[in-house]
Amino acid sequence: MEYAIEMLNIRKEFPGIVANDNITIQLQKGEIHALLGENGAGKSTLMNVLFGLYQPEKGEIRVNGKEVHITNPNIANDLGIGMVHQHFMLVEPFTVTQNIVLGSEPTNKLGKIDLAKARNEIQALSDRYGLQVNPDAKISEISVGMQQRVEILKTLYRGAEVLIFDEPTAVLTPQEIKELIEIMRSLIKEGKSIILITHKLKEIMEVCDRCTVIRKGKGIGTVNVSETNTTDLASLMVGREVSFKTEKIVAQPTDTVLQIKDLYVRDARKVDLVKGLDLEVRAGEIVGIAGVDGNGQSELVEAITGLSKARAGSIKVNNKEISNLSPRKITESGVGHIPQDRHKYGLVLDYTIGENIVLQTYYQKPYSKAKVLSYKEIFDKANKIIEEYDVRTPSVYTKARALSGGNQQKAIIGREVDRSPNLLIATQPTRGLDVGAIEFIHQKLIEERDKGRAILLVSFELDEIINVSDRIAVMFDGKVVANVKPEETNEQELGLLMAGSQVNKAGETSQ
Amino acid sequence: MFEALQSIIPTVLFYSAPLILTALGGVFSERSGVVNIGLEGLMVMGAFVGIVFNLTFADLFGIWTPWISILVAMVIGSIFSIIHAVASVTFYANQVVSGVAINMLALGIGVYLTKVWYGKGQTDMVDRPFYTMDVPILADIPIIGPIFFEGIYITSYLALILAFVAWYVLYQTPFGLRLRAVGEHPMAADTNGIKVERMRYIAVLLSGAFGGLGGSVFALTIASNFSHATIVGQGFMALAAVIFGKWHPLGAMGAALFFGLAQSLSVVSSGIPLLADIPQVILLIAPYLLTILALAGFIGRADAPRANGVPYLKGGR
Amino acid sequence: MTSNSKHFGLLVPIISVIIGLIAGAIIMLLSGHNPIEGYAALWAGAFGDSYTIGETIRRSTPLILTGLAVAFAFKTGLFNIGAEGQVIVGWLAAVWIGLAIDAPMIIHLPVAILAGAIAGGLWGFLPGLLKAKLGVHEVIITIMMNYIALHVTNAIIRNVLTDQGTTTEPIAGTASLASEWLQSITFYSRIHYGILIALFAAFIMWFIIERTSYGYELKAVGFNRHASNYAGMNVSKNIILSMVIGGGFAGLAGAMEGLGTYGTISVMSGFTNLGFDGIAVALLGANNAFGVILAGLLFGVLKEGAGEMPTTAGVPTELVDIIIALIIFFVASSYIIRWALSRFKKEGK
Amino acid sequence: TETEEEGTDDNSGTETEGAEENTKEATEEEAASGDYKIAMVTDIGGVDDKSFNQSAWEGITAWGEENGLVEDEGYDYAQSNEKADYMPNITRFVRDEYNLVYGIGFELKEDIQTAADQYPDTNFAIVDDTVDASNAVSITFKEHQGSFLVGVAAALKTSTDKLGFVGGVDSPLIKKFESGFIAGAKSVNPDIEVDVQYAESFADAAKGKLIATNMYDSGIDVIYHASGATGNGVFNQAKDIKQNDPEREIWVIGVDRDQHEEGQINDHNVTLTSMVKRVDVAVQDVANRGMNGEFPGGELLEYGIEEDGITFATTNEEAMTEDIITTVEEWQEKLLNGEVEAPKTTEELEAYEDSL
Ligand SMILES: Nc1ncnc2c1ncn2[C@@H]1O[C@H](COP(=O)(O)OP(=O)(O)OP(=O)(O)O)[C@@H](O)[C@H]1O
Ligand SMILES: Nc1ncnc2c1ncn2[C@@H]1O[C@H](COP(=O)(O)OP(=O)(O)OP(=O)(O)O)[C@@H](O)[C@H]1O
Ligand SMILES: [Mg+2]
Ligand SMILES: [Mg+2]
């Protein structure tokens, strides 16, 4: 068998940790090869080594059978290796074209960038692989899905034969994921090879040919996808059995906690994105919001939590009007919020874990008396939460920045749940997390439900919505267009509703 | 009106030229993501070198002395700016702080060496400064000629032309695209194979060259000698022009011209009846006040290059 | 690791100072001076006798305060380059009160000191407001505010406090920080009680930042505005508060000059540089109250000692500016020192 | 420059004949015992400011050499880089047991006053301002007289009847220059207009140049500047005009010392004359008196034309023609014999103008 890429016995150390310990991965020509592992297992590191961003301490890399030394991304590019990073590497104020040509710009005789030529080449590429982009749009103005297509075009523009995708689907809507899978298939058809990192086992089953599993920096092995199933893959990765179906008893909803009537919310560009929305969440139930990104979910959550203003309408929590109150007032009236972007909103990364635990309550007793902080109380509390929520950190004095994404998320969830809010809003709570962590978080949400809290779950993962919710509200174009019961629906139907299709029996029956 | 313009515009031009030049340096540096509070120091260095070279080699180079002086000032300015580049690019120093140190260092070195070499705190006046001239042919154009092309320093035109060159380089060439990419999202640039550190070094060196040029042009058109009081705040005004001009070469040029106009008006005003009654202090603070008003009012949301001031650590997050 | 980084935190400034002094020695050698004589003169100029010690402390007093002014804002992620202007207006306000009011010392002196702090705070308020509400770059506004402070203060001295004069009358004795006792034990240096105020201010800063919920908010806003907003903090309020408190410290520095050192205010032909030096002090002191005290004292020593260098050793005083600039570079580039230290450690093992 | 050298050679005329003899006697005595030491503290300008600090230091050096003293021992100076340096510098000399300490420039007024009160055994002198202490002497100059004379010269030279005055910082001291200058000019021709501008800084060459450009453009052909380094910009602009149009008659009047050197451009010189303040003369005079045990403590010494403390430069022979010099000297005579009195404030100037 001929290999496009071979990484043999790679070792990569960071101060105090061996991120990759003797890992081997072999990519056959024309295959989609999955790389699977828990958060922090070392997947991104391994791929960054391949792409020339890191230098390995040990090991050998071969491209088409020849040993190479990839000391910087330029060499990787020259060897036909392209990478679509977990966090997009796009320059926001630049246009799509500028981003794609950056670093290998065509020029005319005056040394001026030949934009026309670039545009043509990009058009040709996007036609060939079905990657639709608007070459003149600014990155800040286009959707996440299109941004990802730009990333792919970047690699193709540089003549990549091997493409590395690092968690490409974590940020995509189901529709976009479908499109991406199509794109990957057409890439393979054109003779490219792909390494795909993802936490979604279903995706692996759907598109991948083989799968290499790593655990805690060590290579576990490579399996043929056709000869395995999701359960086996999960236990290979975690090293124990994992249950996928979240166990839960039937919900017992009681009083209405959140009541939203005829709500209108504008985004930063002063366009209404929530347009006359009605929604109710009762104590003891989990309401899942399903919808394609951009249909007003973020704006809805921001309006409830006070991060942006409601233009019109009413938001009541326990029969108290909270619309357009300050975030502090809203928090104090019993709203907890697990934010979508944990780095931007959820944590002060330069504060210790302990300090982050009291981010909303630092001014209250017992953490603060007469404006003077009691660090003992703060760290005591933090220790309790760390233990209870299994946050893996050296100590409460560790900076939040140093924790892995999953552990950061657990700390946030611990903090929000521990405040015993009447209403808990969880936005994409498991994004980018491995199955073990996902399982834990789902269980916590259900526990809270059973304690009588009202929970609003916003997620692009239909799996998650169907698994965890007691009721699903489908959002389309700023309104709730349907209320369905999870046990009475499936992904196909939800997908149709989310796309705004009007005719639906399920929606009516659930009323 | 015509006469007012004819007397104001040349003054605006000579006053603004050093600011424009220095601000262009600031634009390059900050566009690449390196904050440059050190423009003042770079100007000091330029003024010092320009004057010392001019004094020392006037006999050797004759009429070419001022030109060679500013060239040498550019070279020394960019060599001096390496300190800022090393600190802020290679050693991840806080760039504002490094810039403040550049300012102290330049003035310290300039005055120290002046004292050691000349035995006194200020140099003599140079014999070969720049002089104004009428631009051949263009000066004969009616109306425009006398306003724009009579009694002008060529260095003022140099400043204007370089502003357009800087715009072309930054916004039309691959080099410019890469430089701006490095200032917006260095990691993205890095993954595209652009050498972030090298781009930033080049940008800082350019700011040194432009700062040296600005300082030496100031010295050889306005001050004529060097002392601790030669450059007092011009570099900070240039920095204001960078930000006022939204980190754009032509914007910075416009801002610098605006400062020149405000200063010029504060002088001319005594002859204008309406303005003559305004207390002197109002006229003195007008340029600064106007800048604040402008920033607060019209261009409140000037977006700095996103990675400006952030050291780039490979593999960091 | 934590104990290690504590050590590094102390070692870096110390090593920086040592390298700075060595560099200074090399410069002296290169320019034909005797470094030993030079530093001996510097030492004598700062510690030679009780007089110079008194003057050194006096000179350090406002530097500590401007260092705090910069450091405090820094903690909230703001760069207060406007300490210079805040010093000037603080000086003006303190002297004004010192001249205008007739009251017993127990009222007069605190009011005058407070006036300085309030004036400086007001001068920090505007940049804070513009930053908080309109997102205008505070560096640029504070630079502009420095010039406005300078010119407006000069105009007020000339037209309001004097009749076209250049220096005000001396302030009333009831508003003076000067102490005959302190002066008499230091051969009539101008040392005054301001040093106690500076030390107290440093304590206040430490307490606010490290021990109160205000400090928690200020730092959180400095680190991450979005998360602070999410957590229910009033981001605008904190930005403004930080600039106002920082300005207040700088205003106090001005009050020290007005009520302690000079007892008057004069028309200024240029900046006092106390504010700009404050940036250096804050940096060397790692933006930490205790560090700022040490850094302020060090710079006071260097600057005071410099005065003796030309007379005794023929070295231009600017050498000290060069040394200070180099120290700042090394502290700012502490990465190199940390790297060298860790290398050193590894090899030692 | 020439005038200054003259000053050092020829130390006479400052005082009466008697004083001069005293000086000589004293020199012999004190040089032997060598225990009368003098020192000066500069203001921010520095000892080489080409202005009054430099002139004062030249006076002290000359005095020291004349008395056979050694620099750093018998006479010395201390450089001040900022306001905060004045007091330590003064005190350093007191502690080093200097007998007489000069503070050069009005900025040192408060510090000299304080020092004089604190150290009654030391003698002090302040130049350009007044202090009140029995062990301190105030040295001022009748700048208005000198300004009056250069005003006369300017009025005689102008062909447009428009003159300019550029002041550094608006203050009583600079008002003396302004008032005297205007009065002198109007004495010759009451119709002359004088445009007055203050740069509000002694170190802003750009502002000086802006003002000068504006003035010369508006038809002014002679500018008198009393603005320190701001004046560099004035010279700069005048020379630039001269460079482009050597035929154009354009002049600057220098201040404090003979600024002939600053005005040189090719074969021309734009410095018409300068209002020369002989700080050196005054400094030496006070030193001699002190050495003789006649220190004029508590007094205010005003050095004017009579005391040889104020003169005008005639270095530019081409510009300062015989006729002009003759007329200026006529006015000098009138000032000396009290026939006219040069105004030194705006009020006095107004009164003077009314009397014309
Ligand atoms: N730049 C770095 N410096 C220090 N340690 C690092 C660095 N990058 C990664 N690590 C550590 O290396 C380990 C592997 O990280 P890596 O990013 O490769 O994980 P991953 O498998 O991609 O995780 P995820 O699923 O969360 O993306 C982690 O323990 C992480 O803490
Ligand atoms: N400089 C660093 N020092 C220590 N750990 C680091 C460093 N950089 C990255 N890491 C760790 O590397 C791991 C993986 O980083 P990665 O960028 O893949 O983020 P992540 O954990 O997947 O989180 P998310 O997907 O939410 O961004 C994390 O555990 C992170 O804490
Ligand atoms: Mg990863
Ligand atoms: Mg991840």
Side-chain angles (χ1 to χ4, degrees), chain A residues 44 86 166-167:
Chain A
S44 299
Q86 185 171 353
D166 192 353
E167 284 188 56

Side-chain angles (χ1 to χ4, degrees), chain A residues 289-312:
Chain A
I289 301 254
V292 178
D293 194 10
N295 276 282
Q297 298 96 319
S298 311
E299 287 71 20
L300 169 65
V301 171
E302 282 175 10
I304 302 174
T305 52
L307 291 176
S308 61
K309 294 246 172 293
R311 185 169 73 74

Side-chain angles (χ1 to χ4, degrees), chain A residues 39-40 43-44 86-87 166-167 199 342 405 431-433:
Chain A
N39 292 121
K43 307 178 293 292
S44 299
Q86 185 171 353
H87 304 278
D166 192 353
E167 284 188 56
H199 289 295
R342 51 182 172 260
R431 172 149 141 189
L433 300 189

